[in-house]
Amino acid sequence: MSTPSRLPAAPPPSSFNRWTEERLKTSREAALKDWCRTQDVWVFGYGSLIWKPEFDFIEQRSALLPGYQRALCLWSRINRGTPELPGLVFGLEAGGDCHGMAFRLTASSVLPIFETLWRREMATGAYHPSWIECQTPQGPVKALAFVIDRTGPAYVPEPPEDALIEIVLRASGIYGSCLEYVTQTADALEAVGIHDARLSALVARLKDQLNQQHSLS
């Protein structure tokens, strides 16, 4: 008989606070303080931005971000979970390398797109918006990447796989289940030619667990 996995303690619901419009604006302006308004801008996607960017772009490239990795390290208490039963979504944190996609925005579209993007990604201030050089087949580009704030209440070091499976299978929020989010991300990565071995192994175990549950029901 397997030993029950020890789940990491989720932060209390009271620690969840949405940023005000003013705080979002201040953060957004800080990220763009060195931007020349005639220059196009690149945005790096490593999770749901790959399969649901929700903005127009004029170019898309596969991109490698050295020194950072994709990890299920961010508690989701609305989109893919609840305050009482949170799920986990992907964050970008230091360590390893991350293959993703770089999206090029026209200079004229940057301000309206960033306003929408900040509401989506920075709603609770879980990330540090950072300009990081990515390697692409056409050469290096500096792209905006949302790097996890490890000091924030929503951060958790990626749990061991057994705990991950338990969390992913149980959680669901306003955008759907945590399971759907993880599998959609894995499918989207494979569709653009990115193989994430750790994620593929996790999805395979999730499917096995689901099959076992169905066979017992």
Side-chain angles (χ1 to χ4, degrees):
M1 180 181 294
S2 61
T3 302
S5 58
R6 177 175 292 182
L7 301 185
S14 58
S15 69
F16 177 79
N17 292 297
R18 283 188 172 275
W19 274 18
T20 63
E21 285 294 323
E22 186 61 32
R23 197 169 183 186
L24 288 171
K25 180 182 177 183
T26 299
S27 170
R28 188 169 63 246
E29 289 177 347
L32 289 171
K33 64 182 176 62
D34 296 323
W35 169 57
C36 174
R37 293 187 176 230
T38 60
Q39 290 182 332
D40 295 347
V41 163
W42 292 88
V43 173
F44 180 76
Y46 55 87
S48 62
L49 282 179
I50 293 177
W51 49 268
K52 193 177 181 182
E54 296 184 318
F55 54 73
D56 294 327
F57 51 89
I58 57 171
E59 188 180 355
Q60 175 179 332
R61 298 181 187 177
S62 61
L64 172 67
L65 199 59
Y68 293 86
Q69 62 186 344
R70 181 175 28 250
L72 286 164
C73 61
L74 177 63
W75 289 115
S76 178
R77 292 166 285 188
I78 288 185
N79 294 347
R80 299 290 174 171
T82 65
E84 295 74 26
L85 202 64
L88 285 170
V89 294
F90 288 106
L92 188 67
E93 65 173 346
D97 297 309
C98 183
H99 287 87
M101 301 298 296
F103 302 94
R104 182 181 168 198
L105 315 181
T106 62
S108 61
S109 71
V110 169
L111 290 178
I113 286 177
F114 269 43
E115 186 172 348
T116 302
L117 191 59
W118 246 248
R119 288 198 181 100
R120 168 177 168 168
E121 301 295 329
M122 294 294 292
T124 61
Y127 299 108
H128 291 302
S130 306
W131 296 97
I132 306 174
E133 186 171 281
C134 307
Q135 306 301 322
T136 81
Q138 297 84 4
V141 299
K142 184 168 283 190
L144 179 82
F146 290 99
V147 179
I148 194 71
D149 177 5
R150 284 176 164 173
T151 68
Y155 170 73
V156 59
E158 184 172 278
E161 195 171 80
D162 285 348
L164 268 181
I165 289 170
E166 187 170 343
I167 293 167
V168 170
L169 289 179
R170 74 182 185 183
S172 187
I174 62 172
Y175 288 164
S177 70
C178 192
L179 173 65
E180 180 185 50
Y181 166 84
V182 171
T183 55
Q184 277 185 315
T185 301
D187 290 345
L189 291 172
E190 292 286 352
V192 296
I194 298 170
H195 179 66
D196 185 319
R198 288 196 313 139
L199 180 54
S200 295
L202 174 64
V203 169
R205 282 204 60 194
L206 286 166
K207 290 179 178 178
D208 286 345
Q209 187 72 19
L210 282 175
N211 289 335
Q212 291 178 26
Q213 290 177 0
H214 291 157
S215 66
L216 293 174
S217 61

